[in-house]
Amino acid sequence: MTAMTLPLNGPLRLVIHAPTPAALERARNNARNLLKARPDAEIRIVVNAGAVAAALDGPDAETDRLLRVCGNTLAKTGRTAEGLTVVPAGVLDIAEAQAEGWGYMRA
């Protein structure tokens, strides 16, 4: 059996939601694997809750450019995310991306 790629009406765009440290690790691996298979894919890794501290404490040069950090979680924890993209709310960023036609996957 061979893999089949379906034609798209635009770029492949995927939001990977990571709310925990383990989910962030899976999201980073999923993003790497998707980009190997589809280098033209657009990927966002939205981190909130416990994944925010994991992202800040364990940077990853290859995937940090894909991160979108929840501003609500930063405010609750008193942390900042220098050099990373911060969004007002992870849930809002995910909802807006889906409204724009992005696929969603929880890591």
Side-chain angles (χ1 to χ4, degrees), residues 12 18-19 21 26 43-45 52 60 66 69 85 104:
L12 179 62
R26 287 189 301 272
I43 303 170
R44 295 179 181 177
I45 300 174
V52 170
D60 181 80
L66 306 174
V69 181
T85 300
Y104 171 85

Side-chain angles (χ1 to χ4, degrees), residues 21-93:
L24 175 58
E25 185 176 338
R26 287 189 301 272
R28 285 174 165 166
N29 288 333
N30 290 153
R32 285 185 194 97
N33 290 336
L34 178 55
L35 288 171
K36 282 180 196 171
R38 292 288 299 268
D40 61 331
E42 296 178 35
I43 303 170
R44 295 179 181 177
I45 300 174
V46 178
V47 294
N48 67 326
V52 170
L56 299 177
D57 297 340
D60 181 80
E62 189 177 0
T63 60
D64 278 356
R65 65 185 173 82
L66 306 174
L67 293 180
R68 297 171 72 86
V69 181
C70 177
N72 285 335
T73 301
L74 289 173
K76 287 178 185 175
T77 60
R79 300 206 50 190
T80 60
E82 298 300 320
L84 297 176
T85 300
V86 176
V87 297
V91 67
L92 176 62
D93 195 62

